[in-house]
Amino acid sequence: MNRRPAGRAAEPLEHPLAEPLAGPAADPEVDPYVPAYGRVDLTNCDTEPIHVPGAVQPHGFLLAVDRGTHEVVVASASTSALLGREATGLLGLPLRDVLGPRLAGEVLALNAADQVSEPLHTTADLASGPGAEVDVVLHVSGERLVVEVEPVGSSPGFSPVSYRSTRAAVGRLTEAPSVEELVQQLAHEVRTLTGFDRVMVYRFDTRWNGEVVAEDRRDDLNPFRGLHYPASDIPVQARRLYEVNWTRLIADVDYVPARLHPVLDPGTGAPLDLSHSVLRSVSPIHVEYLRNMGVGASMSVSLVLDGRLWGLIACHHYSGPHRPSYDARSAAEFLGQTASQLIASRERSDEREDALHAQDLLAALVTGTTGSGGDPFANLLADRRLLDLLGASGAALADGGRLVTLGTVPDPAVLRRISALLARGDGAPTFTDHLASLDPELSAVERVASGALRVGLGADRWLLWVRPEQQEVVDWGGDPRNKEIAAAEGPGVRLSPRKSFEKWREVVRGRSVAWERWQAIAADRLRSQLTSLVLGRVRDQIAVAESLQRAVVLEQPPHLPGLDVLARYRPASGSQLGGDWWDALELPGGRVAVVVGDLSGHGVHAAAAMAQLRTASRAYLLEGHGPAAALDRLDALAGSVISEHMATAVIAVLDPATGTGHLASAGHPPPLLLHRGGASLLPVTPRPLLGVATGRAEDAAVRIPDGGVLVLYSDGLVERRGASLDDTIEQLRGAAERSADAPLAELADSLMTVVPGAEGDDTTLLLVRCTPATR
């Protein structure tokens, strides 16, 4: 169940209302009270619009007054007993005619000054006699000024509340060194102020289940401390009201609700909103709940931290009705507000200490990861401090195709599934304590991983922590599945487990310990550190690969007698690291070899593999092997060198004196031969790709006429997505034919751009022209 964001104002509840009761109030012995929104039971109490009950508790009376005319538009039936006047007879009367000129004047003066939050402690003429002490509480509901009048009441044996006693209680709360001691002191102070038989401090967990974390009680009562209560006990609309109205009293659980007349406000046609009322009648379901516990009176005070309901001070009385004075209730609310601030401060302090410890641990972890040499990711996943950082039992780091783990984790396929479920585009921390809620099949691994926290480190890198199931034994104050049980047992049984109210024990399965906010912050800081490390490593790899590429791939061709050679290289868009290479070298006997090769992929691995193939091809050619034999040997070598890549190559060995020679290809695009009046594809039968260990290359004879040009190129020049390779090669051939007699530099410029859209791959072009002067 999600919480509202802290600091956001309470939203009005929007639930359809049943038809309200019509006509005057019936005899409760004949027709028991039904709220204005209709009857409720266990199936619909979680949507019960309890802020519009159409009634108040009878120990006080309520008047709703038009703020403009000051006339009474709604009155509670309790005016009959407390004022000696029927509610229906007060409708339309000026407030001064109902409360008397003096009291009405005080109320209307506060209304005029917009100070309706200020309560009045004064006297009024009641049915019990003139000059009775009363507490008057005001609030605004829509266009109505709501006036609630309650005769002053106080339990016998308790001294009146004073500023001095309240200040002393605040001082004792402030001195409590921990949240645990603070809430225990709070329970004691509120019980001292209000005189209830039992006062508990009740804390909500992340799923809105509650636990009694502190208690002060009569010695003869059984302890409730440590009991848990399911979220259904306090449904969402009740929790919203607790954030709006901090104090609620039920002075007598056996009270007969005093109906409002009329049930519908004549100005709005809807029941009067009593969210801020101190007399608001409560849900019949809640009253039955209290009766089943043997409670005669109840009071609650909200504990709200940063706009979020943290818990409640829950007060129970067992020896009959109990109505502490309004001053005592106000003092209890003040202590609750003070305690809320102190709890928030203590929790922030505890969180700061945890965060500082995590920061120190994180610094040591990063230093150990980067300072010990070797693979930093392997170092990280060998350091158990990575688990201590977030209190996890296992961790996994994915780096491309590699997955490194630490501690106890599920198998790799499950880890990748969890990562995919938690992934978000920006890599920020995401977490859950209930993986099965994301994928029910993950319940199979809940003993190892019931919760997980993930951060992203890049496109194919992530870090994941996991926690096992927390087999938590919970002492429930009644069965949390009471709705289902009641439905199964039939209409004759109501809240049956609550009638005994013995401990009901349940093992909560499938959930891990919840992740804390500071842990997500620590994970995000580690993510930033690792992302910087990844970027640094990538920059280093780029520098190494570029150096390697510059070392093995010629920038300018060497001077070769009888031949003009020109080479162009264009890297793929956004990268300087490719697998293309070219070579030109003199061989024994006056021959010349030219080579163009293409290795798939980018980065250090591709550049290193390319360097090995280029060096090996040179060695084979210098040993005297022809083009086909050299390629077959490269194939044998490539099987162990480029297992993760594909490679192609074309080799030509020429005699500059005659312009003749041989060509061979391994999966490479066909060479072009330019001559006067035309350009043609050379008929070379390629062997399969290098590294597949099958097939053999064949030498094809070639003769370059005087002034003719041999064109060798990689597939980056002609291969385009969505275009036929035959068509793009024909584009290249046509352009070459039109520029066959042009200088090599001009020809190269033309051919490098003739097929548009070259972005995804490296491109290499090698032009070899035989010069007539050598013939």
Side-chain angles (χ1 to χ4, degrees), residues 40-42 285 288 292 486 489-497 499:
V40 292
D41 56 31
L42 295 181
I285 290 290
E288 182 174 359
N292 287 343
E489 292 177 342
V493 177
R494 295 294 302 274
L495 297 169
S496 55
K499 289 182 178 177

Side-chain angles (χ1 to χ4, degrees), residues 719-739:
E719 196 172 65
R720 300 291 183 268
R721 180 173 298 179
S724 165
L725 187 60
D726 290 341
D727 292 342
T728 56
I729 290 177
E730 179 56 28
Q731 281 183 263
L732 179 69
R733 191 204 64 77
E737 185 176 67
R738 291 188 295 273
S739 304

Side-chain angles (χ1 to χ4, degrees), residues 268-307:
T268 64
L272 188 66
D273 188 335
L274 299 182
S275 296
H276 294 274
S277 168
V278 297
L279 295 174
R280 175 178 61 86
S281 186
V282 298
S283 165
I285 290 290
H286 184 65
V287 169
E288 182 174 359
Y289 175 94
L290 292 174
R291 285 173 180 158
N292 287 343
M293 294 180 70
V295 173
S298 168
M299 188 178 84
S300 64
V301 178
S302 304
L303 297 171
V304 180
L305 277 60
D306 300 322

Side-chain angles (χ1 to χ4, degrees), residues 562 655-660 673-677 703-709 740-741 768-775:
D655 181 355
T658 63
T660 60
L673 180 62
L674 279 59
H675 47 82
R676 285 188 176 89
R703 181 181 182 279
I704 305 175
D706 288 349
V709 180
D741 296 329
V768 181
R769 171 171 276 163
C770 283
T771 55
T774 63
R775 304 289 171 86

Side-chain angles (χ1 to χ4, degrees), residues 465-479:
W465 289 266
V466 296
R467 286 175 174 171
E469 171 188 68
Q470 181 192 28
Q471 293 192 16
E472 177 187 9
V473 177
V474 176
D475 292 330
W476 292 107
D479 186 340

Side-chain angles (χ1 to χ4, degrees), residues 16 27 105-106 124 136 151 167 169 217 234 254 328 396 416 435 479 527 563 576 578 594 668 684 713 718 757:
D27 181 350
E106 292 181 63
V136 181
R167 185 180 68 174
R217 58 185 168 82
I234 305 179
D254 293 322
R416 293 186 187 279
L435 283 168
D479 186 340
R527 176 179 75 95
L563 298 175
Q576 298 295 320
V594 289
H668 207 78
V684 180
Y713 54 94
V718 291

